[in-house]
Amino acid sequence: MRKKLGIVALSAALLLFAALAMTANVRKAHWQTIAWVTPSPDGQTLTATFIVYKSENDDGRFCWEVTDTEVRESPSQVTIGVRMSNPCAPLLSWGTIQLPDNGRRFDVRLHLRAPLNGRTVIERESGQKIEVAQQ
């Protein structure tokens, strides 16, 4: 009987741990939603623009950093992505992180192998078309 109670208690503890782990927010890099891109005059560089928010418990430092970029080119389109991380955020937090309404504009330059020349620009994560700003 004690063995069965021990197994039940262990099973309950594992279920509780799994439930808590599913609600935890682990600090990791995320692919950003890009608002628009601006090509350079020669079309060889795209400046990807998006908004980054500081977390509510931030101490005033702006800690976001680019951890990865991706550029895939085809004759008809360019797919881009920018992954960022906030090393100032807690390594592990519980519940939902509340972000303020005020964000900071962030620009990242991405280099192309060939000029843009009217190709469609697609966001890596969503697969959606990104607006190309006029120069």
Side-chain angles (χ1 to χ4, degrees):
M1 184 66 154
R2 283 187 179 189
K3 190 174 184 179
K4 280 187 178 182
L5 286 176
I7 291 173
V8 169
L10 180 61
S11 297
L14 288 173
L15 283 173
L16 179 61
F17 177 75
L20 287 173
M22 290 182 351
T23 63
N25 293 315
V26 179
R27 179 179 64 201
K28 61 182 179 178
H30 297 281
W31 291 100
Q32 297 298 307
T33 300
I34 299 169
W36 70 86
V37 295
T38 306
S40 62
D42 66 1
Q44 289 283 143
T45 303
L46 294 177
T47 300
T49 301
F50 47 91
I51 306 298
V52 177
Y53 295 92
K54 294 168 67 174
S55 63
E56 68 180 8
N57 59 352
D58 200 346
D59 62 4
R61 294 178 293 160
F62 186 79
C63 295
W64 286 97
E65 62 187 18
V66 175
T67 59
D68 192 14
T69 62
E70 184 173 309
V71 177
R72 291 184 303 211
E73 297 182 56
S74 75
S76 63
Q77 70 183 33
V78 176
T79 302
I80 63 171
V82 177
R83 186 184 292 196
M84 294 188 70
S85 175
N86 181 350
C88 297
L91 183 60
L92 185 66
S93 62
W94 303 103
T96 304
I97 297 173
Q98 298 295 320
L99 296 176
D101 293 334
N102 57 337
R104 175 186 255 182
R105 177 179 162 163
F106 206 88
D107 295 322
V108 176
R109 300 178 100 209
L110 304 166
H111 301 284
L112 305 178
R113 289 190 317 267
L116 186 59
N117 286 340
R119 291 184 284 176
T120 303
V121 181
I122 304 294
E123 188 177 69
R124 177 209 184 275
E125 193 68 5
S126 69
Q128 299 295 312
K129 183 177 176 181
I130 301 172
E131 176 187 344
V132 177
Q134 299 301 318
Q135 302 174 35

